[in-house]
Amino acid sequence: EIVLTQSPATLSLSPGERATLSCRASQSVSSDLAWYQQRPGQPPRLLIYDASDRATGIPARFSGSGSETDFTLTISRLEPEDFAVYYCQQRANWLTFGGGTRVE
Amino acid sequence: EVQLLESGGGLEQPGGSLRLSCAVSGFTFSNYAMAWVRQSPGRGLEWVSGVSAGGGSTYYADSVKGRFTISRDNARNTLYLQMNSLRAEDTAVYYCVKDRFLYGTLISYFDYWGQGTRVTVSS
């Protein structure tokens, strides 16, 4: 099973600041990685797939990068609605999720 | 508008059974693989099972293999999860999810999620 480790566990920032979230895979997943956002009381929402492609309707301030084992989700300027938990997910070898990063 | 509406969750004793349903609308159900993903405080997000667009192929996580059965009725636009021999560790919110890609594989990304149905396994 591929383990995805997200860091930091919590990121404390202010609106307007830049957020950089990390996801590290225990073995290569090529570019088969997605990012999701989960707000309180809501299901996860797909933000990025194939490491860097934005899903439909996702604002341009969200961007993804990386390949193989190291991936980054960047939120260029935090809006109030961006304070949430973010998860990465790989599909290279079955399907696993990371433990999440809370942006507060 | 895409909608996925789960039902069937509740409190069940260890060893018992539950059947989850997911009624979908807003897209051509028969063109997309579907899956169930669960979330619990202890195990986080966990993919449970997936079914191909036509229903002929199914996959299961090792943790539920032999106990859970996924199926779909494309005429009724409904996805199901039959859960037998329930354990305490099956306690979670269960989400019905749609594959991101048309005629995609069963191992994919998920672009639409239902609101979830809570399953609690306890005596």
Side-chain angles (χ1 to χ4, degrees), chain B residues 38-66:
Chain B
R38 65 186 181 186
Q39 185 173 30
S40 63
R43 299 167 73 100
L45 285 165
E46 182 183 14
W47 173 85
V48 173
S49 180
V51 60
S52 60
S57 297
T58 56
Y59 285 162
Y60 298 92
D62 287 344
S63 56
V64 307
K65 200 173 294 181

Side-chain angles (χ1 to χ4, degrees), chain B:
Chain B
E1 180 190 5
V2 172
Q3 292 191 324
L4 296 83
L5 184 61
E6 303 97 337
S7 60
L11 174 63
E12 183 57 64
Q13 293 186 341
S17 298
L18 282 173
R19 188 194 198 202
L20 306 184
S21 299
C22 174
V24 313
S25 61
F27 66 98
T28 305
F29 181 63
S30 58
N31 287 351
Y32 291 89
M34 299 289 294
W36 290 94
V37 173
R38 65 186 181 186
Q39 185 173 30
S40 63
R43 299 167 73 100
L45 285 165
E46 182 183 14
W47 173 85
V48 173
S49 180
V51 60
S52 60
S57 297
T58 56
Y59 285 162
Y60 298 92
D62 287 344
S63 56
V64 307
K65 200 173 294 181
R67 300 187 299 122
F68 290 10
T69 303
I70 192 171
S71 61
R72 63 190 296 162
D73 184 337
N74 285 348
R76 296 178 183 269
N77 287 355
T78 303
L79 177 72
Y80 302 99
L81 185 69
Q82 177 68 42
M83 304 188 297
N84 298 331
S85 303
L86 283 164
R87 305 168 179 168
E89 54 264 36
D90 296 320
T91 296
V93 174
Y94 284 72
Y95 293 105
C96 167
V97 297
K98 171 188 168 291
D99 189 336
R100 162 68 178 78
F101 301 107
L102 183 67
Y103 297 121
T105 68
L106 297 183
I107 306 298
S108 189
Y109 313 119
F110 309 116
D111 61 350
Y112 286 95
W113 297 57
Q115 287 298 312
T117 186
R118 185 172 299 274
V119 171
T120 303
V121 183
S122 174
S123 56

Side-chain angles (χ1 to χ4, degrees), chain A residues 58-92:
Chain A
I58 301 304
R61 65 180 181 274
F62 291 92
S63 63
S65 63
S67 65
E68 307 294 337
T69 60
D70 288 291
F71 299 87
T72 300
L73 174 69
T74 301
I75 311 171
S76 59
R77 287 177 56 85
L78 283 164
E79 298 287 340
E81 62 269 26
D82 299 337
F83 291 88
V85 180
Y86 293 82
Y87 296 95
C88 55
Q89 175 234 317
Q90 65 82 22
R91 65 163 190 165

Side-chain angles (χ1 to χ4, degrees), chain A residues 32-71:
Chain A
D32 291 331
L33 189 110
W35 291 92
Y36 296 83
Q37 175 195 68
Q38 188 174 29
R39 296 170 176 152
Q42 294 295 315
R45 176 174 73 140
L46 180 65
L47 300 175
I48 302 287
Y49 65 95
D50 288 345
S52 61
D53 291 339
R54 267 190 305 276
T56 304
I58 301 304
R61 65 180 181 274
F62 291 92
S63 63
S65 63
S67 65
E68 307 294 337
T69 60
D70 288 291
F71 299 87

